[in-house]
Amino acid sequence: MSRNLNGTAGPSMAALCIIKGLRTPIDLVSISHGQRRTISFLSQAFGIVADSDLGTDNLRWMGPARFTIGFLIRLFGNTVYPCDVALKVEIDDKKRIKEHYHAVVQNKSNAEPREEIPESGGLPPLKYGLATDPIPDDWMRISHDKLGNFYSGNMAFMSQDANFFPASLPNDGFLDVIMIRGDISRLTAVQMLGSLEDGELFDLPDVHALKISAFRITPRNPEDGYISIDGEQIPYEPFQAEVHKGLGTVISRSGFKYETGKGS
């Protein structure tokens, strides 16, 4: 988290950045599955990222390398994750996503109104209901027979050297999403893995990028699988996410953006 907010993973520099930092509103995300509702601040994953993370607990002794090993095992096994995806799309073009990001950075402000909190306290009501409710008519629906990866994030770096979402902003009211087919060539997939540190994954032609305000994923495979919310496993069943703009507060270096190294 410090890599995103302060541009450093070093404890000493992070402590200094916190002391000198600015209060920054940050979007939070309601996750519903069944009748349960939880809050997410970082990421939601279905497909090879969730599988490579949660499915390699037996390799934790390898450290961070376990994710790469898990990824390669599933890659060479041509693993796909059939599902139905529904999205409340806000920006559907990479060029417009970049324009949105640069407009915020150049204005040095992302101080649009936060979502209102009920006077009685607690969480805001869900605009789109639970994962068991009907899907709204204005959502985009995609039926994926060969999905490789669905990954949505609320920050740029998902780990110290994995810049999955270089156009992510703390308080724009959107989740950044990438979707990748599971039947791309193995060479392309390996190149994607190597493009993460510099944020170049976003620009690759096989990466479908969106900014959204809500989504639902319904796995088609009835067998057990992995769904990751902030790196933690939830039951393998339909789940839904909905953004709450500026509901949280963090301390950051800039007060309005993440320290991605681009546009800083």
Side-chain angles (χ1 to χ4, degrees):
M1 194 168 183
S2 178
R3 178 64 183 85
N4 287 288
L5 298 173
N6 305 314
T8 179
S12 299
M13 184 58 70
L16 178 61
C17 288
I18 291 172
I19 293 170
K20 300 182 67 175
L22 302 172
R23 284 175 59 92
T24 307
I26 187 172
D27 300 333
L28 296 179
V29 183
S30 277
I31 304 295
S32 69
H33 48 105
Q35 296 299 311
R36 298 172 294 276
R37 179 185 182 185
T38 57
I39 292 294
S40 169
F41 72 95
L42 180 62
S43 66
Q44 306 82 39
F46 175 83
I48 197 168
V49 168
D51 213 2
S52 300
D53 181 12
L54 299 175
T56 57
D57 270 351
N58 60 319
L59 301 177
R60 281 193 177 274
W61 56 272
M62 298 181 67
R66 73 183 175 94
F67 178 86
T68 303
I69 297 298
F71 177 88
L72 293 174
I73 289 173
R74 287 152 181 80
L75 170 64
F76 290 116
N78 293 319
T79 308
V80 294
Y81 305 86
C83 66
D84 295 311
V85 181
L87 309 125
K88 175 59 174 170
V89 178
E90 304 296 343
I91 307 178
D92 62 356
D93 177 78
K94 289 183 180 180
K95 180 181 178 182
R96 290 177 55 219
I97 289 174
K98 290 180 179 180
E99 290 172 350
H100 168 78
Y101 175 82
H102 288 301
V104 171
V105 171
Q106 289 170 6
N107 291 333
K108 296 185 177 180
S109 174
N110 199 24
E112 297 179 10
R114 299 184 180 209
E115 183 165 333
E116 292 186 6
I117 300 175
E119 293 183 2
S120 58
L123 297 173
L126 291 171
K127 183 177 180 180
Y128 302 112
L130 300 172
T132 53
D133 292 324
I135 297 173
D137 293 335
D138 61 343
W139 286 26
M140 176 192 293
R141 302 188 189 208
I142 306 173
S143 182
H144 271 293
D145 295 322
K146 295 183 178 181
L147 180 71
N149 189 34
F150 178 99
Y151 204 15
S152 59
N154 195 35
M155 296 186 184
F157 284 85
M158 296 294 103
S159 64
Q160 184 175 344
D161 57 356
N163 187 1
F164 273 94
F165 307 107
S168 180
L169 291 162
N171 181 39
D172 63 355
F174 304 144
L175 277 172
D176 287 66
V177 169
I178 57 171
M179 289 186 287
I180 303 170
R181 292 181 60 87
D183 56 357
I184 59 175
S185 72
R186 292 168 179 170
L187 176 60
T188 298
V190 171
Q191 290 172 338
M192 287 181 177
L193 189 63
S195 69
L196 284 173
E197 186 170 358
D198 295 326
E200 296 175 354
L201 177 71
F202 177 90
D203 289 311
L204 297 180
D206 289 300
V207 176
H208 186 195
L210 302 164
K211 276 188 178 282
I212 66 171
S213 55
F215 73 84
R216 182 184 301 178
I217 290 183
T218 303
R220 283 204 224 133
N221 190 339
E223 299 177 3
D224 286 342
Y226 295 102
I227 296 171
S228 173
I229 306 297
D230 296 343
E232 300 296 329
Q233 185 175 0
I234 66 169
Y236 192 70
E237 61 186 5
F239 72 103
Q240 183 163 301
E242 176 181 325
V243 179
H244 303 294
K245 181 175 171 57
L247 186 61
T249 301
V250 292
I251 302 295
S252 76
R253 178 184 290 183
S254 71
F256 64 92
K257 67 179 179 65
Y258 294 125
E259 303 300 323
T260 63
K262 296 187 176 184
S264 298

